[in-house]
Amino acid sequence: MRLGRDGIAGLIGLAISLLLLPQAFGLPKLPIVPVGPGFYPTIVLVFLGTTSAILLVQDVLAQRRAGPAAAETPPAPPRAYGLVAAAFIVVAGYIALLPLVGFRLATVLFVGAFQYLLEPPKTTQQWILLTAIAIATSVVAYLVFERYLLVLLPRGAWTGW
Amino acid sequence: MKKLFSCLGAVLLSAGLAATASAQFPDRPVKMIVPWAAGGDTDNIFRPLAPLLQKQLGQPVVIANVGGASGTVGAREAKNSAADGYTIYAVHDYIHLVHYAGLTDISYKDFEPICLVSATPSVLTASPKTPWKDWAGFVADAKKRPGEITVGATLGSTSHIFPASVEKAAGIKLKYVSYDGLAPRMNAILGGHIDLTDSNLTQKGKVEAGQLKFLAIASEKRDPDMPNVPTLKELGLNIVYEVVRGLMVPKGTPAAARAKLADACAKATAEAEFADSMKKQGTRVSFLNEKDYAAFLDKIDGENKAIMADLGLMKK
Amino acid sequence: MLELLGSGVFTILQWKFFLPLFLGTLAGVIGGAVPGVTITMTIIVILPFTYGLEPLAGLAAMTGVYVGGSAGGLITACLLGIPGTPSAIATTFDGFPMARNGEPGRALWLGVWASFFGGLLGGAFLILVTAPLAAIALEFGPWEYFSLFVLAMAMVAGLAEASLVKGLMATAIGLLITVIGTDPIGNALRFNFGSEFLSAGFPFLPVLIGIFAFAQIMADVEKVRDPQQTEGVAAVGQPTLRISHLAIIWEILSRPVLLLWSTIVGIVIGVLPAIGGSAANMMAYDQAKKFSPRPEKFGTGVPEGIIASESSNNANVGGSLVTIMAFGIPGDAVTAVMLGAMTIHGIQSGPLFVSQNAEIAYGIYAAYILAHPLMVLIIGLSTIFILKVTAVRLAVLAPVVLVLCVIGAYALNNTMGSVYVLLLFGVFGYVLVKAGFPLAPLILGLILGDQIELNLIRAIMTDANPWLFLTRPISGGLLLAAALSVVFAIWQHLRHQQRISEADADF
């Protein structure tokens, strides 16, 4: 049996709902609430399970009808999924650094790294521009938020800054 | 590169300053964690206090609303903050309740008290769509229809504990419906979807406009602004229920910083401006110093524990 | 009421409110014009700035973004043939042909003035209807609210283009996300798997920001090395933007039926929770075509098409504001962020909002009205500049937007926890979009999840009789409408058996 994109999504949805349902039943009840904290989650999980199951069945039927030949999708424009993964990693790195080195430093590094990732600078001029944008973003954000609007930004545990 | 150096410099500097920091406390903004959303009752009480504290401390006092999960997210944030006096924690009775309800392992013992700030007496409030004119009418009806009169409350919090104590003392039976927060309770009670709720004197305007009825106030004496509302004590119920709010710091905060904060709190709460803004919140200023506040916390902790056990809300 | 409105206008004209309104409108126009940046995205970027402002100043800025954004989309729609936001899709149908036929100025200004009039008519509705509707909303008990939410979800899932089942499943996922953490009634921990991080649940705004911001930015990152994408489209004849405004205004006002009907379509769709501007402009365009004596001319550059689309999408803003101000229910992601911003400032929207916070309510009305002339002014002065901004490189735009998203999440309650949630749901949202799930029902599930549960349990706690959901007239009527809308959606999907090509992402 072949599964398409929807089939896999349906399978995951079904698995999640079956996995969580027993937990919903096991939740402790409060004496003054006629239905326990598991009542509503049960409804939601049944809803999720049902829609997932329908999606799965629809996909299995569609795959069978179409046969393996039609599984070839029309050529999609090339997408840079590697770049997306790298971009997510850079963001994750930024978020991990925030509580360690503080907003100001982490933001310079992040804005620089993200620009480098999308459009690696080639000339010295482009490098200067990249650095300037990175530093400016950090400085302006700090001044506007923490100094002017009194919105506190993360401080670094390592740097205290 | 320059940034890196200045940042290294900052590390060295702060290490060097650590020894003398207590003498100069505070030398940077102080963060006040309010474990509820802005504009809530608690926020409304501490927000006017912040600038007055700032005046005493000479550094900005910035309120950080850390809401979520019945205030326990804020409690955890406060407990895990550096114990250097730069984080203060604004708290009310919920700290005892959530602990005994088993929502969190954090208790008031994880903090050092600074000062008690205010007390807000609870007022038993009825919907305009109820037939009762006063307390007696309500009790008579409640005895006739046990378990049918609905009360809007945040379950397991002060708005639940207060009507539950009334219920027990008056020998009646009420039905609770979960309405989190004063604003949703006001919507529901004005629409007549609940009969009763716990509110406070901030709702005075609606009573005067005939939209709400105050049945009884849970303070020692009648309020001079609402002299027609009887106290529960007069009505023969030995209940005084006031939501008290104070300031704490994480355990281990240096004594010098605590003393400075406590001193600032004493002076700030004594200002006439603060009393005025508290009056608008249906609240009176109720200052206790570090030592008295600690004793007071021990006392109300025991009381809250007993009530929670009574109501069957205690986690074993 | 006029008195209150007058004082609202005077309040907003003060510098500290007017400047945020102006900057918000400007940001909205630019965000609306830049293809790939939606109004939601713009409002997300604006959000952290409002934390530090007075509540009304923040709300004025957001109102400006909403109004400006709904109009800004037409700039690129008319001049480049690319809708700047989904709410300007129908504008391209006739706006771009008209521009290509050598009348770019006429196309642009027909859109601008139609937005202006449609928006102001929507504003009149907003001001007149909100208070009476709030009085009705007060009579809504938990049963009625529950049924209203069910109706909203049924309608949105039915609108999902790809498939009804996927729309419903996306709703279910949204609902499930809100279940995780502490239960809103008795604080029991649900599905936290013993983790302290999960016990707090997922705060709504970081989830929303994560899903929207990352799904969009990463979709652009995918294409950044695609040569077709980077070349861009040359603007058509910028030199002839000069035009007689009186002639244009007359062109619009001489079609009062078209203008009014499109406005009404926009308002009604705005009031209904969760449908939004992207549906309004298409529907109004459709209606205009149906009632026109020359439907075959539509798509070749007729003014009617532009007027219908643009007046409806701005009227839609007025309608959406009615719903958040009278019921306290956000109709879409934009108003959900606005409501979030209100909550941060401690303003509880709901039936009592207008009467208790008259100053803020009338301030919002005034900001809404003043945003329209500002929008006209901004577009008039800076169209050429805005076209240049649309060419800003993603390499610069993306990291700056992401930094603002991080600040928005962090400053919400000053914990890194929210920032982790942001990233988690950024990844999750991107994967969902790639799996072909529509985001609108997911977001609606997220917005309404807690409220559905609270009202369901409240109804049961107030009276254990389950039939009340059907026997209370308003509640029963709403549930019936929900059932009908699902049946209608199924019927429509069966009718269009030929699969509609799936959109890249549904914002």
Side-chain angles (χ1 to χ4, degrees):
Chain A
M1 193 173 72
R2 292 175 53 91
L3 274 186
R5 191 184 61 176
D6 287 5
I8 296 168
L11 209 57
I12 295 174
L14 196 60
I16 290 175
S17 89
L18 291 179
L19 194 79
L20 292 181
L21 265 176
Q23 285 210 24
F25 289 126
L27 290 168
K29 275 181 83 167
L30 269 184
I32 48 169
V33 187
V35 291
F39 176 73
Y40 172 74
T42 309
I43 299 175
V44 172
L45 289 172
V46 169
F47 181 35
L48 177 67
T50 316
T51 47
S52 306
I54 297 174
L55 193 64
L56 181 61
V57 171
Q58 271 185 350
D59 188 63
V60 169
L61 291 180
Q63 296 286 339
R64 190 168 297 168
R65 210 181 312 131
E72 302 290 319
T73 43
R79 296 281 166 92
Y81 288 117
L83 201 60
V84 172
F88 269 119
I89 291 169
V90 171
V91 177
Y94 174 45
I95 289 175
L97 276 181
L98 270 177
L100 301 177
V101 305
F103 175 83
R104 282 167 278 182
L105 199 59
T107 301
V108 174
L109 295 175
F110 167 71
V111 176
F114 209 95
Q115 288 184 78
Y116 179 81
L117 183 70
L118 294 191
E119 276 178 29
K122 293 182 194 85
T123 62
T124 322
Q125 210 174 0
Q126 285 174 334
W127 270 108
I128 293 170
L129 189 66
L130 179 146
T131 319
I133 291 173
I135 293 174
T137 308
S138 171
V139 171
V140 171
Y142 173 76
L143 290 178
V144 169
F145 284 103
E146 193 146 324
R147 283 292 139 124
Y148 179 65
L149 294 170
L150 286 180
V151 170
L152 297 182
L153 300 170
R155 277 180 185 269
W158 291 352
T159 55
W161 193 63
Chain B
M1 213 56 292
K2 216 169 178 181
K3 288 228 152 214
L4 195 67
F5 278 128
S6 65
C7 136
L8 270 174
V11 176
L12 294 175
L13 218 64
S14 65
L17 281 175
T20 52
S22 49
Q24 295 168 346
F25 173 88
D27 58 0
R28 59 181 168 91
V30 174
K31 175 159 129 181
M32 186 195 285
I33 293 182
V34 173
W36 310 95
D41 299 349
T42 307
D43 186 69
N44 282 339
I45 283 171
F46 287 101
R47 208 159 277 271
L49 182 64
L52 300 175
L53 277 179
Q54 179 168 336
K55 203 166 80 184
Q56 298 298 330
L57 293 172
Q59 282 290 338
V61 176
V62 182
I63 290 190
N65 296 96
V66 187
S70 304
T72 53
V73 176
R76 186 163 311 278
E77 181 79 12
K79 186 193 164 201
N80 294 342
S81 299
D84 52 8
Y86 289 101
T87 304
I88 49 182
Y89 171 42
V91 70
H92 77 69
D93 309 64
Y94 90 101
I95 185 89
H96 311 289
L97 300 169
V98 290
H99 180 68
Y100 290 119
L103 294 181
T104 174
D105 53 351
I106 297 174
S107 82
Y108 76 103
K109 296 200 183 83
D110 291 315
F111 301 93
E112 312 253 16
I114 294 296
C115 61
L116 183 71
V117 170
S118 71
T120 314
S122 286
V123 182
L124 196 64
T125 310
S127 162
K129 302 201 176 172
T130 54
W132 332 305
K133 291 206 169 55
D134 53 12
W135 166 262
F138 154 65
V139 174
D141 193 27
K143 291 212 159 129
K144 227 183 292 161
R145 305 186 291 139
E148 282 184 39
I149 291 173
T150 51
V151 187
T154 307
L155 299 188
S157 190
T158 51
S159 61
H160 179 198
I161 303 300
F162 168 56
S165 334
V166 171
E167 183 183 11
K168 189 160 174 261
I172 51 178
K173 186 98 193 68
L174 303 170
K175 177 152 64 171
Y176 293 92
V177 183
S178 170
Y179 280 92
D180 237 350
L182 189 58
R185 286 204 287 278
M186 281 302 128
N187 284 338
I189 204 164
L190 289 178
H193 308 297
I194 50 174
D195 299 322
L196 271 184
T197 194
D198 152 56
S199 78
N200 53 45
L201 291 170
T202 51
Q203 303 305 317
K204 198 173 71 175
K206 294 203 193 75
V207 174
E208 281 157 356
Q211 290 176 310
L212 280 182
K213 292 183 275 196
F214 280 170
L215 296 181
I217 186 167
S219 52
E220 288 283 353
K221 278 188 276 193
R222 290 193 183 206
D223 189 89
D225 284 341
M226 288 302 269
N228 299 329
V229 182
T231 65
L232 283 168
K233 280 201 149 171
E234 291 170 41
L235 297 165
L237 275 67
N238 189 19
I239 296 175
V240 172
Y241 197 89
E242 296 181 319
V243 179
V244 291
R245 295 179 168 88
L247 293 176
M248 298 182 179
V249 288
K251 197 139 209 131
T253 303
R258 276 189 285 142
K260 182 97 192 200
L261 288 169
D263 180 53
C265 179
K267 286 181 181 141
T269 51
E271 295 216 25
E273 193 186 332
F274 186 62
D276 281 348
S277 38
M278 286 306 97
K279 205 171 161 63
K280 287 193 199 103
Q281 300 304 327
T283 296
R284 61 187 173 82
V285 179
S286 170
F287 175 79
L288 287 181
N289 65 24
E290 286 182 79
K291 217 171 117 238
D292 295 343
Y293 185 31
F296 179 75
L297 280 169
D298 290 335
K299 176 174 151 268
I300 59 171
D301 189 63
E303 290 174 6
N304 278 303
K305 187 175 175 182
I307 295 175
M308 291 292 279
D310 241 26
L311 294 173
L313 294 171
M314 183 104 112
K315 183 94 164 238
K316 282 114 223 157
Chain C
M1 191 157 73
L2 272 178
E3 206 174 300
L4 278 167
L5 189 62
S7 78
V9 170
F10 276 112
T11 312
I12 293 295
L13 285 176
Q14 286 173 50
W15 194 234
K16 64 176 174 178
F17 299 116
F18 192 74
L19 186 66
L21 175 68
F22 175 79
L23 292 176
T25 314
L26 180 66
V29 170
I30 294 174
V34 176
V37 178
T38 56
I39 305 173
T40 312
M41 187 81 156
T42 316
I43 214 150
I44 284 172
V45 167
I46 290 290
L47 177 71
F49 293 97
T50 67
Y51 292 160
L53 293 173
E54 269 182 55
L56 184 56
L59 287 166
M62 292 186 150
T63 309
V65 170
Y66 206 177
V67 171
S70 296
L74 71 90
I75 301 176
T76 29
C78 290
L79 301 183
L80 302 183
I82 311 164
T85 64
S87 59
I89 291 173
T91 312
T92 54
F93 299 166
D94 280 293
F96 190 51
M98 184 184 278
R100 254 196 319 210
N101 295 345
E103 294 182 296
R106 182 167 166 234
L108 180 80
W109 282 101
L110 270 173
V112 173
W113 286 112
S115 294
F116 179 79
F117 290 117
L120 286 187
L121 285 171
F125 177 82
L126 168 70
I127 295 165
L128 292 174
V129 168
T130 304
L133 208 62
I136 298 173
L138 203 53
E139 299 302 317
F140 269 43
W143 301 271
E144 285 76 23
Y145 274 112
F146 176 79
S147 305
L148 180 68
F149 299 148
V150 172
L151 171 64
M153 292 193 303
M155 286 195 301
V156 167
L159 279 178
E161 259 183 42
S163 93
L164 176 65
V165 180
K166 277 188 154 177
L168 288 173
M169 191 172 154
T171 314
I173 296 171
L175 294 176
L176 185 63
I177 292 168
T178 64
V179 164
I180 296 166
T182 324
D183 110 81
I185 309 280
N187 296 315
L189 288 176
R190 297 192 295 208
F191 310 143
N192 68 330
F193 304 100
S195 133
E196 203 172 90
F197 176 62
L198 286 180
S199 330
F202 295 119
F204 166 71
L205 280 175
V207 173
L208 182 102
I209 298 172
I211 289 178
F212 269 98
F214 283 91
Q216 189 136 61
I217 287 175
M218 291 307 172
D220 291 340
V221 167
E222 276 173 16
K223 297 177 237 168
V224 77
R225 302 262 160 87
D226 186 352
Q228 278 180 339
Q229 210 67 31
T230 41
E231 258 172 41
V233 192
V236 241
Q238 341 167 316
T240 47
L241 286 178
R242 285 188 184 284
I243 201 83
S244 154
H245 288 280
L246 280 178
I248 297 275
I249 291 172
W250 173 244
E251 228 182 318
I252 295 168
L253 294 183
S254 62
R255 296 181 172 87
V257 180
L258 175 73
L259 178 66
L260 268 179
W261 186 242
S262 310
T263 304
I264 290 170
V265 169
I267 289 172
V268 170
I269 289 182
V271 171
L272 290 174
I275 303 186
S278 42
N281 75 108
M282 297 296 282
M283 217 168 278
Y285 185 84
D286 231 38
Q287 295 273 314
K289 194 172 170 182
K290 242 175 234 164
F291 293 139
S292 166
R294 42 168 194 166
E296 74 285 350
K297 291 273 182 194
F298 272 69
T300 62
V302 292
E304 289 95 324
I306 303 174
I307 296 172
S309 171
E310 280 306 315
S311 58
S312 74
N313 70 21
N314 265 68
N316 174 74
V317 176
S320 306
L321 290 177
V322 169
T323 314
I324 49 166
M325 288 173 74
F327 285 89
I329 303 167
D332 52 15
V334 180
T335 43
V337 175
M338 284 182 82
L339 202 65
M342 282 169 139
T343 320
I344 291 160
H345 285 296
I347 303 159
Q348 293 267 0
S349 192
L352 297 179
F353 173 67
V354 179
S355 53
Q356 284 192 340
N357 300 289
E359 212 169 299
I360 289 178
Y362 280 85
I364 294 176
Y365 295 160
Y368 176 87
I369 292 171
L370 291 172
H372 284 85
L374 275 178
M375 171 270 288
V376 173
L377 195 73
I378 288 169
I379 296 181
L381 290 177
S382 58
T383 305
I384 305 298
F385 163 74
I386 289 167
L387 283 176
K388 286 217 176 83
V389 173
T390 58
V392 165
R393 284 147 48 223
L394 183 71
V396 177
L397 187 67
V400 174
V401 167
L402 288 174
V403 167
L404 287 170
C405 291
V406 166
I407 297 175
Y410 176 82
L412 191 63
N413 51 8
N414 294 287
T415 51
M416 279 306 291
S418 297
V419 184
Y420 303 141
V421 170
L422 176 84
L423 179 65
L424 184 70
F425 279 89
V427 177
F428 183 67
Y430 178 70
V431 171
L432 279 185
V433 167
K434 285 286 125 190
F437 281 95
L439 287 184
L442 174 86
I443 294 299
L444 190 70
L446 271 172
I447 295 174
L448 298 180
D450 271 349
Q451 286 298 316
I452 291 176
E453 169 164 27
L454 277 171
N455 282 290
L456 175 66
I457 307 291
R458 274 172 195 164
I460 297 171
M461 286 178 91
T462 312
D463 196 325
N465 178 5
W467 296 109
L468 282 174
F469 286 104
L470 293 174
T471 55
R472 286 176 68 106
I474 299 180
S475 168
L478 290 168
L479 283 183
L480 183 71
L484 285 179
S485 81
V486 171
V487 171
F488 178 73
I490 293 173
W491 175 71
Q492 266 214 326
H493 277 273
L494 289 179
R495 220 173 45 139
H496 297 258
Q497 214 22 296
Q498 71 273 38
R499 301 265 308 189
I500 314 149
S501 67
E502 276 167 28
D504 223 12
D506 173 15
F507 290 103

